[in-house]
Amino acid sequence: MVLSKHINPDKILQDSQDKHFKHHALTGTNANTISHAYGARYGTEPIPKYKIPSKGTDAEAAYQLIHDELELDGSPILNLASFVHTWMPEPADKLMRENMSKNLIDQDEYPMTQVLHERCVSILADLWHAPNSHQAIGTATTGSSEAIQLGGLAMKRIWQEKRKAAGKSIHEPGPNIVMGANAQVALEKFARYFEVECRLVPVNAESKYRMDPRRAMEYVDENTIGVYVILGSTYTGHYEPVKEMSDLLDEYEKKTGHYVPIHVDAASGGFIAPFATPKLEWDFKLPRVVSINTSGHKFGLAYVGVGWVVWRDKAHLPKDLIFELHYLGSVEYSFSLNFSRPAAPIIAQYFNLVHLGFEGYRRVALDDLKNSRILSRALERTGYYTVLSDIHRQLGDTGIGGAVTKMVDEENVEIYEPGLPVVSFRFTDEFKQKYPDLQQKWIQILLRSRGWIVPNYELPPNMESVEILRVVVRESMSAVLIERLVADIVEITEDLMKQDSPSHALSALSSHTPQQHKGKQHQGKLEEGSGSKPSGTYAKTC
């Protein structure tokens, strides 16, 4: 018998269904339908998977069917791969439920919602030191991806207008935009979707896995519409030096006469830097920064679905990107990529700004960074891992992976390297030499068996040979969970070290299932072997 390498699960399930004694092949159970145990209770028929059912399903039954399928999703609190916030207090949930049917674009119908939207824009403009926060111009977006497109479009249009005014072509050789190779895909999307040459600046360990401003200047010319500078790299959490990039572009303009603006992608850092490191120069205090975006649903602590883009003033948002609308009952203005959008996430963002205030956001940011430092130090002290992120290193310390030698003062965030509460780590070189067959991706797989979602992935182009594991420390990642995560990582790593072979990953997986792990954690003070030997009968906890 030859074992097939390609198996159709739907066909197997269809062939495995209970059959009536007298049946016809054409009337067998359809693999394209969903049958459910609750069907008999609610009196529902099997539901088609890929087309709308001819008859609807009772609301309670539909809820239960969908609810149970979604139980297969991972736990949001254990999803350490995502920057997206997953918890808000009950009053915020109530506000969102009350306003979930509102459309932000209907300004005439929901004028107070629009007022709250404008307040959020002004608050962010003030937080980022815009010249006039009361007259700030900006908009909510579905996230930083849309916000980045808008920031890029404004820079492109201003470049085009200047080229036309100078009698120069806007097509040959065409516009380009400069960014680090560590840029999130949304930045590259802008270049591809809106026909702008994308100039990626290679990153390396010496540049701290982020764009090196001096090297970036090699890619700048008269056709550069702007530079995307990232305040918080997705890979390692490092802030790119906005001030240094701005100073170099100042020098470039003095020499050449070419003006190149900066858009700061502060998707994550926009709600961390102002509170944790308010002395850091990165925002509208720098005249060359013309626009900033952030994600309210990341460290803005709102539910997913809200981002923001703010321009330093109206002069940097070209008028022809703003649409005047007359058919919704009043004169309204729109300068976002899509039209209708839910108002509830914007209301949730305003709730946070009012509820937390500056001090509340600062406490959350400092606590996230403190827990990140604890995790970083613990991983390095195992001797198994080196940490690529630097938020646990004091200013002036050198050498990635080196231990911090100065006295640790966790209460003074100013002595540490600024960055996101992100911990990126990998096996040490010594560990890899001693255990060459032990693959780092096994750590991800075995952590997943315990519920943790910790991604293992390659660094940006030019460093693809380096794989890292990354943990995003959000508000829900408490010190207790940090302790449990460290214990699990150490236990999994040491179990893999016992048998250094590819086949051990599978056997180790069986010993790290949630049930096995749960048992280990509830043994109390009893050691293995303290109880009587099992008799072989089936036992299950009541």
Side-chain angles (χ1 to χ4, degrees), residues 174-195:
N176 67 74
I177 190 164
V178 176
M179 67 189 81
N182 57 307
Q184 207 265 359
V185 67
L187 281 70
E188 191 175 353
K189 270 187 178 181
F190 161 74
R192 187 180 302 181
Y193 288 177
F194 293 100
E195 298 181 327

Side-chain angles (χ1 to χ4, degrees), residues 433-447:
Q433 289 175 3
K434 189 172 183 180
Y435 303 97
D437 293 328
L438 203 161
Q439 298 181 44
Q440 192 168 279
K441 65 181 180 181
W442 296 348
I443 305 298
Q444 171 187 335
I445 295 169
L446 295 174
L447 282 173

Side-chain angles (χ1 to χ4, degrees), residues 78-125:
L78 299 181
N79 180 8
L80 310 184
S82 177
F83 286 84
V84 175
H85 192 69
T86 57
W87 173 86
M88 292 189 75
E90 176 56 33
D93 292 346
K94 184 179 179 182
L95 270 175
M96 292 196 70
R97 288 193 298 270
E98 292 172 352
N99 294 279
M100 64 188 303
S101 61
K102 291 183 179 178
N103 186 351
L104 183 67
I105 201 65
D106 291 337
Q107 300 175 21
D108 188 60
E109 185 175 353
Y110 309 119
M112 200 59 220
T113 298
Q114 185 60 28
V115 169
L116 299 188
H117 168 262
E118 292 171 357
R119 288 180 189 172
C120 288
V121 171
S122 292
I123 289 171
L124 289 175

Side-chain angles (χ1 to χ4, degrees), residues 130-194:
N132 187 343
S133 61
H134 296 293
Q135 299 296 321
I137 187 163
T139 183
T141 60
T142 51
S144 278
S145 294
E146 181 188 0
I148 287 166
Q149 315 301 310
L150 294 172
L153 274 173
M155 293 191 298
K156 179 184 178 182
R157 191 55 53 90
I158 288 174
W159 174 86
Q160 288 175 328
E161 291 172 354
K162 288 184 176 179
R163 295 281 293 183
K164 290 177 181 178
K168 297 179 180 180
S169 172
I170 63 172
H171 303 295
E172 297 295 337
N176 67 74
I177 190 164
V178 176
M179 67 189 81
N182 57 307
Q184 207 265 359
V185 67
L187 281 70
E188 191 175 353
K189 270 187 178 181
F190 161 74
R192 187 180 302 181
Y193 288 177
F194 293 100

